[in-house]
Amino acid sequence: MARAAVGIVGAGPAGLVLAHLLADHGIEAVVLEQKSREYVEKRVRAGLLEHRTVALLERHGLAERLRARGQVHRGVELRFDGARHRIAYGELCGGRHMTVYAQQELVGDLIGLWLARGGTIAFEAEDVRLHGIEGERPELCWSAGGRSERLACEFVAGCDGFHGASRPAIPAAALRVYDHPLPFAWVGVLAAVAPSTEEIVYAQHERGFAGHMLRSDTVSRFYLQTAPGDPIERWPDARIWDELHRRLATGDGWTLREGPVLEKSVTDMRSFVVEPMQFGRLFLAGDAAHIVPPTGAKGLNLAVADARVLADALALRLQTGDARALDAYSATCLARVWRVQDFSIWMTWLIHRIPDETPDAALRRRLQRAQLERVCGSPAAAATFAESYVGLEEA
Ligand SMILES: Cc1cc2nc3c(=O)[nH]c(=O)nc-3n(C[C@H](O)[C@H](O)[C@H](O)COP(=O)(O)OP(=O)(O)OC[C@H]3O[C@@H](n4cnc5c(N)ncnc54)[C@H](O)[C@@H]3O)c2cc1C
């Protein structure tokens, strides 16, 4: 049977960053991933990295391609009533910035660097099961190409996302679950077209939210608000462009460039947290433990922050026997998770069309407008928004 100090389930941002940080501490970890390498390196998801995420990756020598290819941003645009309002978060937050870099690029970088340093990833690991997490000798079992495989480890990191095998391995009675579906969904669109904006745009519109995000000089990402459960078949390309034109329109002659749609899908929004994020020798990190609505672009950044806390705590425990940081892992991470949930939910309600069936919809729309005007009109309110958006805490 194979052995490693830490068995990591999932080769997403959380699992891969954790693997690298542990290796920098001199701790051996093995990563299990149910999909193929090609699949995870092409999966389109997030694209906005906080300064502290980038700083962490830089400190560990994981940011060379990101630095060369990522785009640094210092402001974001809020649109409503056809007017544009720039929040200069760089100026408001002491020069801190965000970097646009596609998640699949980052995952590809982390996999390449991990394999180059001699690390192991068992791709296409099917039916991963966690055994003995309550005791001192946990084991991971899976099948690969019809063979049964086992890994004995001292600790297990469940970094396998919302639908993974790790969280369900914890007895339900040991977890408190906060699951809050939101009355919003996004049609996410990837298009082969140069961006029509230099900074990310969030547009609040009576037809629904529209977002113009950035990826590269030749590819752009767009989001359109729809209702949860809306099938993507109801969104032919012509309808997507028509809605984007209407919702992003401004009164100053700005125009939207169109291009071939490469990919599109609908994602329902939810807020989800489990407490605690640990059970016995299993530690959950990233989407396995929490989902934030994507509005504030925080999910990936939270996943990396969890990985950092977990790597340091595991290193202390494995190398000195001091378990205090590991015991406090969940509480340490949850403090950040709840602050980010608060901001992400607030921002979601700030820029989406409030559905008619929402209790007090008319009142809430008036309050929403007052908040938008305050964020765009008051330097103090803009600074508060910017602080959460850019993520002010240290890396
Ligand atoms: C469509 C979409 C758009 C998003 N947009 C944004 C955005 O704009 N900004 C933002 O910050 N966040 C966004 N997010 C969220 C962000 O992508 C996630 O928060 C981030 O991927 C979390 O990283 P993770 O490593 O925790 O989980 P994941 O990236 O989900 O990685 C988990 C890994 O575990 C693997 N796995 C799953 N089950 C098993 C199993 N049983 N055994 C072995 N391996 C398994 C998966 O294949 C995957 O590779 C988006 C998410 C989605 C789905």
Side-chain angles (χ1 to χ4, degrees):
M1 184 176 2
R3 290 182 186 280
V6 182
I8 299 176
V9 189
L16 292 165
V17 169
L18 177 64
H20 279 285
L21 268 49
L22 287 172
D24 287 351
H25 281 290
I27 293 167
E28 194 196 351
V30 166
V31 184
L32 309 185
E33 166 57 52
Q34 72 172 5
K35 302 289 189 192
S36 67
R37 178 175 181 182
E38 191 190 16
Y39 182 92
V40 295
E41 289 185 351
K42 288 205 173 133
R43 187 167 42 196
V44 176
R45 285 185 165 178
L48 197 55
L49 304 181
E50 290 177 3
H51 68 94
R52 63 181 169 189
T53 302
V54 174
L56 177 81
L57 296 169
E58 280 179 341
R59 279 203 304 278
H60 290 270
L62 303 170
E64 198 176 322
R65 270 187 90 240
L66 184 163
R67 251 201 320 270
R69 304 176 66 160
Q71 301 167 8
V72 169
H73 284 251
R74 295 190 166 80
V76 63
E77 190 180 310
L78 300 182
R79 283 186 190 177
F80 56 98
D81 287 347
R84 303 146 63 123
H85 306 267
R86 181 170 191 260
I87 308 288
Y89 54 74
E91 287 166 30
L92 292 163
C93 297
R96 296 188 188 231
H97 58 264
M98 305 282 267
T99 302
V100 168
Y101 191 60
Q103 178 167 332
Q104 70 272 21
E105 296 288 330
L106 178 64
V107 165
D109 296 351
L110 294 169
I111 289 173
L113 290 165
W114 179 245
L115 298 178
R117 72 196 288 179
T120 302
I121 304 180
F123 286 106
E124 300 180 63
E126 291 168 24
D127 191 22
V128 173
R129 278 154 292 135
L130 291 73
H131 296 293
I133 52 174
E134 283 175 79
E136 304 217 327
R137 296 185 205 292
E139 269 181 37
L140 295 174
C141 304
W142 71 99
S143 52
R147 286 190 325 277
S148 292
E149 307 278 357
R150 293 170 94 82
L151 176 77
C153 38
E154 292 186 54
F155 295 97
V156 178
C159 304
D160 46 355
F162 184 68
H163 300 288
S166 299
R167 194 179 64 250
I170 302 176
L175 290 180
R176 175 150 195 193
V177 178
Y178 298 83
D179 191 5
H180 178 65
L182 290 154
F184 311 111
W186 276 3
V187 181
V189 179
L190 194 71
V193 61
S196 304
T197 174
E198 289 182 356
E199 294 183 336
I200 286 173
V201 177
Y202 293 91
Q204 199 274 340
H205 193 277
E206 61 185 15
R207 300 180 68 84
F209 162 76
H212 185 340
M213 313 291 161
L214 298 150
R215 282 297 181 267
S216 71
D217 293 343
T218 53
V219 174
S220 299
R221 183 93 163 128
F222 300 95
Y223 293 111
L224 286 162
Q225 176 183 351
T226 188
D230 194 16
I232 192 63
E233 292 70 32
R234 290 191 58 243
W235 287 89
D237 296 356
R239 181 181 176 203
I240 287 172
W241 290 114
D242 181 53
E243 285 295 329
L244 285 170
H245 279 292
R246 288 168 184 247
R247 299 184 193 185
L248 290 168
T250 65
D252 61 4
W254 177 88
T255 54
L256 174 69
R257 275 190 282 261
E258 293 187 21
V261 170
L262 302 172
E263 233 184 275
K264 56 185 172 181
S265 61
V266 174
T267 309
D268 294 353
M269 283 194 200
R270 71 191 320 149
S271 274
F272 177 91
V273 181
V274 291
E275 292 182 344
M277 291 168 55
Q278 62 197 84
F279 178 77
R281 292 206 166 206
L282 169 63
F283 296 83
L284 303 177
D287 279 17
H290 42 72
I291 300 281
V292 288
T295 320
K298 296 291 170 204
L300 188 163
N301 295 288
L302 269 183
V304 172
D306 289 351
R308 176 182 62 79
V309 175
L310 186 54
D312 289 347
L314 283 169
L316 197 65
R317 164 65 182 78
L318 284 162
Q319 292 175 334
T320 71
D322 183 345
R324 282 175 296 179
L326 202 51
D327 292 344
Y329 166 73
S330 178
T332 305
C333 292
L334 285 169
R336 176 188 296 104
V337 168
W338 282 115
R339 280 199 298 280
V340 172
Q341 284 287 4
D342 178 41
F343 173 69
S344 300
I345 293 173
W346 175 82
M347 188 176 170
T348 298
W349 283 96
L350 181 73
I351 53 137
H352 284 76
R353 181 180 195 279
I354 294 174
D356 294 339
E357 54 278 16
T358 308
D360 301 322
L363 173 76
R364 292 188 74 143
R365 285 184 191 138
R366 288 280 190 247
L367 298 177
Q368 178 190 51
R369 175 49 56 100
Q371 286 181 15
L372 272 171
E373 287 172 355
R374 188 153 49 86
V375 167
C376 297
S378 149
T384 302
F385 171 87
E387 180 180 292
S388 293
Y389 189 74
V390 83
L392 253 186
E393 297 148 85
E394 288 311 309

